[in-house]
Amino acid sequence: MNFKKIITLLLISISFQAVFAQKDGYWDKERAITKEIVVSARDRIVIKTEDFPEGTTEVVYRITLLDENQQLANSLVSVLKSIPDPTGISQGSAGAVFLLSKISGDDKCKYAIFSNEVLASEYKESGKTTKACWSQNEAVSKDAKLLSLDKSSCLKLNTRNIWFGFESKNWIMNQKIILEVVPWIDTKLSRGWNLENRKLIINQCKTSDLAKKLPNSDEFCVCILDKLQKEYKFQEFQKLLAIEKSKAFKDFGNACLGETGASNVIYSNLRNQASDLVKQGKYGDAIAKLLAIVADNKAVIEDYNALGNAYLMTKQYGKAIKFLKEGEKLDNSELLIQLNLAHAYLFNKDFKLAKSLYKKYQSQNVTDSLSWTQKVKLDFGIFEKAGLPNADFDRVLRLFEN
């Protein structure tokens, strides 16, 4: 490989690294702060910044002292246009030097930065900088720095303001100081979804009825959180009416049930619980479990058959017929549904309809190894033990003899 190719590959590699290292955000020039401050001789002054926007994770500032009638050659915003993100400043001293203005006056000042108004007021009275989050105790004519969440105590995730304190070192004349502050906005955090707010939504999700049905609701709740973050800014979501929030949770919850496979877990658990309850003879409780599946439009033909059978065992024949007919719509060739329908008609005193079904399928099997007739006899034995009316059982069995 020749030298030219090696150089080309290195340049490509560096370019890729620069692209992938960039943070997802922007310098907010609309909320950039530029203040011209006049400090009286031998005086101290405190300046509070304007409110930082939601999602501010870095702040770059520049301080320039000017002699009378001097003007800044370039604003800080214009300088930042050539720096795509804060990493371009924080990676070395060259970035900070680049931010410095081309001109400054002969005057110098000391300055300090404070994270709250109380500390700033104490500094104005005493001049002490021990409680400052940053202090420049050697007088300078210009300075520029980057404050970031992970490297400076001046800036926290929810910081809305910082306070600059200046002390004039000119014992005779007033000083003219230009303070410029530009915030960097993290695109994702600007929507208000910080760690605390995301935890709030996760905790709300975990207390929902849907989440309580899951043995492990983590993936399900993260799915809902992702959908909420895409649809709303956090403050937008918080301003919704309670009924609107509930609907958003329900709609996203239903979508996430399918996407995460949680739906299968929930309804499988409900079916298993219903089956266990039937074995214990607790048909009313089993019905409640099965109706929950039906209410969520997740019922399959086996659910309708189990529900119909449970209604038979509790002598609710009209409801048995209703839900068995719903199951029949899904598959009218399912003979277990047809057999329970025949039983329901029989108990409901409609022998004509019952007879037509008993006769229609008598030559078939309900499963691969159990005939229709054998299943009828087994069911009649269970019904007798349960105390269901049995006056017509012999009449039905005689149908199979012809």
Side-chain angles (χ1 to χ4, degrees):
M1 185 179 294
N2 61 38
F3 181 74
K4 187 175 182 180
K5 288 184 177 180
I6 292 174
I7 293 298
T8 302
L9 288 174
L10 284 173
L11 288 173
I12 292 172
S13 174
I14 292 169
S15 298
F16 273 118
Q17 289 175 18
V19 169
F20 289 116
Q22 285 187 3
K23 295 186 177 183
D24 185 13
Y26 57 95
W27 294 111
D28 192 347
K29 63 181 182 180
E30 301 301 325
R31 255 79 67 94
I33 302 161
T34 301
K35 290 181 178 287
E36 183 175 310
I37 306 154
V38 176
V39 185
S40 301
R42 294 177 292 175
D43 197 6
R44 283 188 297 274
I45 190 171
V46 171
I47 301 297
K48 177 185 176 182
T49 65
E50 303 295 334
D51 290 351
F52 295 140
E54 188 84 32
T56 299
T57 57
E58 274 94 5
V59 169
V60 66
Y61 69 86
R62 184 171 71 176
I63 294 166
T64 310
L65 278 76
L66 300 178
D67 290 336
E68 196 168 348
N69 299 322
Q70 278 188 311
Q71 299 294 323
L72 286 173
N74 297 102
S75 70
L76 183 57
V77 168
S78 64
V79 172
L80 289 174
K81 287 181 180 178
S82 60
I83 304 177
D85 69 52
T87 58
I89 299 171
S90 61
Q91 284 174 351
S93 59
V97 171
F98 183 63
L99 293 175
L100 294 177
S101 55
K102 293 180 181 179
I103 59 170
S104 66
D106 294 328
D107 278 349
K108 293 184 178 181
C109 75
K110 295 180 179 180
Y111 73 91
I113 304 174
F114 299 89
S115 57
N116 64 63
E117 189 171 10
V118 173
L119 298 179
S121 297
E122 290 178 3
Y123 159 80
K124 187 176 181 181
E125 293 297 322
S126 67
K128 294 180 180 179
T129 61
T130 52
K131 295 181 180 179
C133 57
W134 170 263
S135 61
Q136 176 59 52
N137 293 315
E138 186 176 323
V140 293
S141 61
K142 55 187 176 182
D143 203 4
K145 281 185 174 55
L146 175 75
L147 306 176
S148 62
L149 286 177
D150 54 347
K151 294 181 180 180
S152 173
S153 60
C154 295
L155 206 61
K156 294 181 174 60
L157 191 57
N158 296 317
T159 296
R160 299 309 304 272
N161 312 94
I162 55 177
W163 284 256
F164 283 84
F166 296 97
E167 181 178 355
S168 171
K169 301 311 293 180
N170 190 322
W171 286 59
I172 301 174
M173 305 292 291
N174 292 346
Q175 288 185 324
K176 180 180 175 183
I177 302 172
I178 305 297
L179 171 64
E180 300 169 277
V181 183
V182 184
W184 169 269
I185 312 303
D186 182 288
T187 302
K188 188 173 183 180
L189 292 179
S190 68
R191 295 179 61 79
W193 292 103
N194 57 41
L195 181 61
E196 181 181 339
N197 293 338
R198 297 200 304 274
K199 283 182 177 179
L200 175 66
I201 297 299
I202 290 291
N203 291 335
Q204 288 178 0
C205 170
K206 284 183 172 291
T207 60
S208 68
D209 292 337
L210 273 176
K212 288 178 181 177
K213 295 176 183 177
L214 293 168
N216 187 343
S217 60
D218 289 353
E219 186 178 0
F220 171 72
C221 288
V222 168
C223 175
I224 289 179
L225 174 62
D226 286 343
K227 291 185 182 297
L228 286 173
Q229 288 183 93
K230 290 176 182 177
E231 183 71 18
Y232 302 100
K233 290 184 176 180
F234 179 75
Q235 291 303 326
E236 290 174 348
F237 180 70
Q238 289 298 85
K239 289 178 182 178
L240 294 179
L241 299 174
I243 191 172
E244 293 174 317
K245 287 183 181 179
S246 178
K247 183 178 185 302
F249 264 105
K250 183 178 180 181
D251 291 346
F252 292 144
N254 288 334
C256 288
L257 281 177
E259 292 177 18
T260 63
S263 175
N264 296 333
V265 175
I266 289 176
Y267 300 114
S268 176
N269 286 343
L270 286 173
R271 292 181 182 106
N272 290 336
Q273 292 167 18
S275 178
D276 290 340
L277 290 167
V278 166
K279 292 174 184 176
Q280 299 171 44
K282 299 179 179 179
Y283 296 105
D285 292 335
I287 287 170
K289 300 292 183 183
L290 294 166
L291 284 177
I293 301 175
V294 172
D296 289 342
N297 296 316
K298 299 297 182 180
V300 296
I301 194 166
E302 290 80 9
D303 299 322
Y304 286 112
N305 186 59
L307 191 53
N309 183 71
Y311 276 125
L312 286 177
M313 299 302 290
T314 55
K315 299 182 181 181
Q316 300 180 75
Y317 309 128
K319 289 184 177 179
I321 292 170
K322 172 187 173 182
F323 286 102
L324 289 167
K325 294 294 286 183
E326 289 298 315
E328 185 183 37
K329 292 176 183 177
L330 299 179
D331 184 0
N332 61 12
S333 68
E334 176 50 66
L335 294 193
L336 290 174
I337 286 280
Q338 297 298 338
L339 183 55
N340 273 329
L341 261 176
H343 296 331
Y345 289 139
L346 183 69
F347 292 132
N348 206 41
K349 304 299 183 182
D350 195 338
F351 186 81
K352 184 178 180 181
L353 278 176
K355 176 183 176 181
S356 67
L357 288 177
Y358 283 127
K359 290 288 290 182
K360 183 176 181 179
Y361 300 107
Q362 68 175 356
S363 63
Q364 297 189 41
N365 281 4
V366 292
T367 69
D368 59 349
S369 59
L370 184 64
S371 72
W372 175 275
T373 303
Q374 289 172 323
K375 178 62 173 166
V376 170
K377 291 177 180 179
L378 288 172
D379 287 353
F380 282 178
I382 294 171
F383 295 153
E384 283 185 321
K385 288 181 181 179
L388 271 64
N390 59 10
D392 291 321
F393 287 179
D394 288 340
R395 188 179 177 189
V396 171
L397 293 176
R398 283 196 296 270
L399 295 173
F400 304 140
E401 297 173 0
N402 300 327

